mmCIF file of all heavy atoms in Angstrom:
data_model
loop_
_atom_site.group_PDB
_atom_site.id
_atom_site.type_symbol
_atom_site.label_atom_id
_atom_site.label_comp_id
_atom_site.label_asym_id
_atom_site.label_seq_id
_atom_site.Cartn_x
_atom_site.Cartn_y
_atom_site.Cartn_z
ATOM 1 N N PHE A 223 -16.644 2.540 -19.361
ATOM 2 C CA PHE A 223 -16.882 2.415 -17.925
ATOM 3 C C PHE A 223 -18.382 2.278 -17.646
ATOM 4 O O PHE A 223 -18.797 1.440 -16.847
ATOM 5 C CB PHE A 223 -16.311 3.643 -17.200
ATOM 6 C CG PHE A 223 -16.478 3.598 -15.711
ATOM 7 C CD1 PHE A 223 -15.605 2.864 -14.928
ATOM 8 C CD2 PHE A 223 -17.513 4.288 -15.091
ATOM 9 C CE1 PHE A 223 -15.756 2.808 -13.557
ATOM 10 C CE2 PHE A 223 -17.672 4.240 -13.723
ATOM 11 C CZ PHE A 223 -16.789 3.502 -12.948
ATOM 12 N N SER A 224 -19.202 3.091 -18.340
ATOM 13 C CA SER A 224 -20.651 3.032 -18.086
ATOM 14 C C SER A 224 -21.211 1.666 -18.439
ATOM 15 O O SER A 224 -22.015 1.105 -17.694
ATOM 16 C CB SER A 224 -21.411 4.072 -18.908
ATOM 17 O OG SER A 224 -20.681 5.235 -19.019
ATOM 18 N N ILE A 225 -20.774 1.121 -19.588
ATOM 19 C CA ILE A 225 -21.277 -0.186 -20.003
ATOM 20 C C ILE A 225 -20.928 -1.242 -18.956
ATOM 21 O O ILE A 225 -21.780 -2.006 -18.506
ATOM 22 C CB ILE A 225 -20.690 -0.590 -21.370
ATOM 23 C CG1 ILE A 225 -21.276 0.310 -22.453
ATOM 24 C CG2 ILE A 225 -20.975 -2.051 -21.680
ATOM 25 C CD1 ILE A 225 -20.687 0.071 -23.826
ATOM 26 N N LEU A 226 -19.653 -1.231 -18.535
ATOM 27 C CA LEU A 226 -19.228 -2.219 -17.540
ATOM 28 C C LEU A 226 -19.969 -2.012 -16.224
ATOM 29 O O LEU A 226 -20.332 -2.957 -15.538
ATOM 30 C CB LEU A 226 -17.716 -2.128 -17.313
ATOM 31 C CG LEU A 226 -16.850 -2.480 -18.517
ATOM 32 C CD1 LEU A 226 -15.381 -2.234 -18.205
ATOM 33 C CD2 LEU A 226 -17.067 -3.925 -18.925
ATOM 34 N N PHE A 227 -20.205 -0.739 -15.908
ATOM 35 C CA PHE A 227 -20.878 -0.433 -14.653
ATOM 36 C C PHE A 227 -22.320 -0.944 -14.668
ATOM 37 O O PHE A 227 -22.796 -1.534 -13.690
ATOM 38 C CB PHE A 227 -20.854 1.076 -14.398
ATOM 39 C CG PHE A 227 -21.226 1.456 -12.994
ATOM 40 C CD1 PHE A 227 -20.298 1.331 -11.974
ATOM 41 C CD2 PHE A 227 -22.496 1.914 -12.700
ATOM 42 C CE1 PHE A 227 -20.633 1.654 -10.673
ATOM 43 C CE2 PHE A 227 -22.842 2.238 -11.394
ATOM 44 C CZ PHE A 227 -21.910 2.117 -10.385
ATOM 45 N N ILE A 228 -22.997 -0.750 -15.810
ATOM 46 C CA ILE A 228 -24.378 -1.233 -15.916
ATOM 47 C C ILE A 228 -24.423 -2.751 -15.722
ATOM 48 O O ILE A 228 -25.245 -3.272 -14.981
ATOM 49 C CB ILE A 228 -24.980 -0.873 -17.292
ATOM 50 C CG1 ILE A 228 -25.113 0.642 -17.424
ATOM 51 C CG2 ILE A 228 -26.336 -1.538 -17.480
ATOM 52 C CD1 ILE A 228 -25.485 1.088 -18.815
ATOM 53 N N LEU A 229 -23.494 -3.426 -16.397
ATOM 54 C CA LEU A 229 -23.451 -4.884 -16.255
ATOM 55 C C LEU A 229 -23.216 -5.269 -14.802
ATOM 56 O O LEU A 229 -23.714 -6.264 -14.309
ATOM 57 C CB LEU A 229 -22.337 -5.466 -17.126
ATOM 58 C CG LEU A 229 -22.634 -5.587 -18.608
ATOM 59 C CD1 LEU A 229 -21.395 -6.006 -19.365
ATOM 60 C CD2 LEU A 229 -23.766 -6.575 -18.838
ATOM 61 N N ASN A 230 -22.428 -4.439 -14.113
ATOM 62 C CA ASN A 230 -22.057 -4.731 -12.745
ATOM 63 C C ASN A 230 -23.191 -4.493 -11.743
ATOM 64 O O ASN A 230 -23.252 -5.133 -10.699
ATOM 65 C CB ASN A 230 -20.843 -3.878 -12.384
ATOM 66 C CG ASN A 230 -20.136 -4.389 -11.158
ATOM 67 O OD1 ASN A 230 -20.286 -3.831 -10.086
ATOM 68 N ND2 ASN A 230 -19.424 -5.476 -11.310
ATOM 69 N N ILE A 231 -24.092 -3.565 -12.101
ATOM 70 C CA ILE A 231 -25.173 -3.224 -11.173
ATOM 71 C C ILE A 231 -26.035 -4.450 -10.858
ATOM 72 O O ILE A 231 -26.537 -4.588 -9.746
ATOM 73 C CB ILE A 231 -26.016 -2.071 -11.762
ATOM 74 C CG1 ILE A 231 -25.253 -0.767 -11.570
ATOM 75 C CG2 ILE A 231 -27.379 -1.983 -11.103
ATOM 76 C CD1 ILE A 231 -25.949 0.441 -12.126
ATOM 77 N N GLY A 232 -26.143 -5.347 -11.829
ATOM 78 C CA GLY A 232 -26.918 -6.573 -11.602
ATOM 79 C C GLY A 232 -26.431 -7.387 -10.416
ATOM 80 O O GLY A 232 -27.159 -8.219 -9.882
ATOM 81 N N THR A 233 -25.191 -7.152 -9.994
ATOM 82 C CA THR A 233 -24.632 -7.959 -8.906
ATOM 83 C C THR A 233 -24.897 -7.365 -7.523
ATOM 84 O O THR A 233 -24.382 -7.862 -6.534
ATOM 85 C CB THR A 233 -23.111 -8.120 -9.053
ATOM 86 O OG1 THR A 233 -22.510 -6.823 -8.946
ATOM 87 C CG2 THR A 233 -22.746 -8.738 -10.390
ATOM 88 N N LEU A 234 -25.728 -6.314 -7.463
ATOM 89 C CA LEU A 234 -25.961 -5.655 -6.166
ATOM 90 C C LEU A 234 -26.442 -6.640 -5.099
ATOM 91 O O LEU A 234 -26.046 -6.575 -3.951
ATOM 92 C CB LEU A 234 -26.986 -4.522 -6.345
ATOM 93 C CG LEU A 234 -27.297 -3.709 -5.101
ATOM 94 C CD1 LEU A 234 -26.080 -2.954 -4.609
ATOM 95 C CD2 LEU A 234 -28.437 -2.728 -5.355
ATOM 96 N N PHE A 235 -27.325 -7.565 -5.500
ATOM 97 C CA PHE A 235 -27.885 -8.501 -4.519
ATOM 98 C C PHE A 235 -27.199 -9.861 -4.552
ATOM 99 O O PHE A 235 -27.760 -10.849 -4.115
ATOM 100 C CB PHE A 235 -29.383 -8.672 -4.760
ATOM 101 C CG PHE A 235 -30.148 -7.409 -4.507
ATOM 102 C CD1 PHE A 235 -30.616 -6.638 -5.564
ATOM 103 C CD2 PHE A 235 -30.379 -6.972 -3.216
ATOM 104 C CE1 PHE A 235 -31.318 -5.472 -5.333
ATOM 105 C CE2 PHE A 235 -31.076 -5.810 -2.970
ATOM 106 C CZ PHE A 235 -31.539 -5.058 -4.031
ATOM 107 N N SER A 236 -26.015 -9.910 -5.138
ATOM 108 C CA SER A 236 -25.325 -11.207 -5.175
ATOM 109 C C SER A 236 -23.824 -10.974 -5.070
ATOM 110 O O SER A 236 -23.375 -9.863 -4.873
ATOM 111 C CB SER A 236 -25.665 -11.942 -6.467
ATOM 112 O OG SER A 236 -25.259 -11.178 -7.574
ATOM 113 N N GLY A 237 -23.081 -12.048 -5.230
ATOM 114 C CA GLY A 237 -21.624 -11.926 -5.269
ATOM 115 C C GLY A 237 -20.945 -12.057 -3.919
ATOM 116 O O GLY A 237 -21.590 -12.251 -2.890
ATOM 117 N N ASN A 238 -19.638 -11.963 -3.961
ATOM 118 C CA ASN A 238 -18.784 -12.052 -2.773
ATOM 119 C C ASN A 238 -18.853 -13.382 -2.050
ATOM 120 O O ASN A 238 -18.497 -13.474 -0.877
ATOM 121 C CB ASN A 238 -19.113 -10.926 -1.787
ATOM 122 C CG ASN A 238 -18.668 -9.583 -2.318
ATOM 123 O OD1 ASN A 238 -17.487 -9.385 -2.576
ATOM 124 N ND2 ASN A 238 -19.609 -8.684 -2.514
ATOM 125 N N LEU A 239 -19.281 -14.430 -2.769
ATOM 126 C CA LEU A 239 -19.313 -15.750 -2.144
ATOM 127 C C LEU A 239 -17.905 -16.202 -1.764
ATOM 128 O O LEU A 239 -17.681 -16.741 -0.682
ATOM 129 C CB LEU A 239 -19.962 -16.771 -3.089
ATOM 130 C CG LEU A 239 -20.059 -18.184 -2.535
ATOM 131 C CD1 LEU A 239 -21.054 -18.248 -1.397
ATOM 132 C CD2 LEU A 239 -20.447 -19.186 -3.609
ATOM 133 N N ASP A 240 -16.946 -15.942 -2.656
ATOM 134 C CA ASP A 240 -15.561 -16.331 -2.390
ATOM 135 C C ASP A 240 -15.096 -15.768 -1.050
ATOM 136 O O ASP A 240 -14.604 -16.497 -0.192
ATOM 137 C CB ASP A 240 -14.626 -15.792 -3.482
ATOM 138 C CG ASP A 240 -14.733 -16.603 -4.757
ATOM 139 O OD1 ASP A 240 -15.453 -17.612 -4.753
ATOM 140 O OD2 ASP A 240 -14.105 -16.216 -5.758
#
Side-chain angles (χ1 to χ4, degrees):
Chain A
F223 181 81
S224 324
I225 291 176
L226 296 175
F227 194 79
I228 294 171
L229 282 173
N230 197 257
I231 283 179
T233 63
L234 182 64
F235 294 104
S236 60
N238 290 300
L239 180 69
D240 284 355

